[in-house]
Amino acid sequence: VGVDEYQRGTIGLARLVEGILGVILFKSKKLARTHWSRKGDIPLTDVEVNYAARDAWAGAAILERLQNLDPDRFDPSQILQQLEAQVEHTEQPLRSIQLISNRQLLRKVVKEEWKPMKNELEDHGDETWNDTQRERYEELTEEMKRLAPTPSKRYEITRSLGLKIP
């Protein structure tokens, strides 16, 4: 959720919960990085289930509060229509959690090889690179673009709803 027209990026769940609901939500970086769609017979731990349930509650509670503040913009049918329009008008469709998680893991692997090459290119140029290195960098750059996450839907909520997001 983008909270105003000037801010870039998105606002994390903990800040949204604090600003919209007035509740402090402690977030564990270790739990946030859990591979949520892992396969096999490895069940989530009780701590992971509680973390996920709390995040689900937080999202639902934020949406309910926003619906109360602005029913026209935050009605579930309005949001669904906007998501469907996004799918129709972009090349980036809505994806399953499994696919999002797998793409995120793959992007991390690609980025480990791409990032040092990008830094070297920015610092020294590609004069010392051979054709194979240039081709590999171009391949990795294209893969990073292909695996980029779908952009978030942005909503301005600070000015229009009088909310203060920390």
Side-chain angles (χ1 to χ4, degrees):
V1 172
V3 296
D4 63 44
E5 63 266 46
Y6 305 110
Q7 185 160 355
R8 295 186 178 260
T10 57
I11 301 299
L13 185 62
R15 287 178 57 204
L16 285 173
V17 167
E18 186 176 349
I20 295 170
L21 303 175
V23 174
I24 300 211
L25 188 67
F26 295 101
K27 302 288 286 181
S28 161
K29 288 184 181 180
K30 181 181 176 190
L31 283 173
R33 293 187 181 113
T34 295
H35 181 34
W36 294 101
S37 62
R38 61 187 172 225
K39 293 181 178 180
D41 297 326
I42 305 169
L44 294 176
T45 66
D46 288 346
V47 172
E48 291 169 334
V49 170
N50 287 333
Y51 183 90
R54 189 187 62 177
D55 278 7
W57 165 84
I62 287 170
L63 182 56
E64 181 178 27
R65 175 81 171 117
L66 291 174
Q67 285 175 319
N68 290 334
L69 293 171
D70 189 344
D72 292 334
R73 250 192 328 164
F74 295 101
D75 178 74
S77 63
Q78 279 293 104
I79 293 171
L80 181 59
Q81 285 177 355
Q82 291 173 15
L83 290 173
E84 289 171 344
Q86 177 181 339
V87 170
E88 289 177 19
H89 297 99
T90 69
E91 294 181 15
Q92 294 187 332
L94 298 177
R95 298 180 174 101
S96 70
I97 296 299
Q98 175 79 40
L99 185 55
I100 290 169
S101 183
N102 290 344
R103 288 170 61 93
Q104 181 181 19
L105 290 172
L106 181 56
R107 192 170 201 265
K108 184 177 180 180
V109 170
V110 171
K111 189 174 185 177
E112 286 176 6
E113 183 181 353
W114 173 79
K115 183 75 172 182
M117 292 180 83
K118 180 179 180 282
N119 291 340
E120 184 181 333
L121 182 63
E122 289 172 353
D123 292 344
H124 307 292
D126 72 347
E127 291 81 27
T128 61
W129 287 6
N130 61 36
D131 289 342
T132 304
Q133 288 172 304
R134 284 187 190 94
E135 288 172 17
R136 182 64 182 151
Y137 177 74
E138 289 174 14
E139 289 170 2
L140 292 169
T141 300
E142 287 305 310
E143 191 69 357
M144 288 293 290
K145 290 176 188 176
R146 187 183 73 76
L147 295 170
T150 302
S152 302
K153 176 69 180 142
R154 297 188 58 82
Y155 292 94
E156 183 286 313
I157 60 174
T158 52
R159 184 178 37 80
S160 62
L161 301 179
L163 296 171
K164 302 254 188 266
I165 307 297

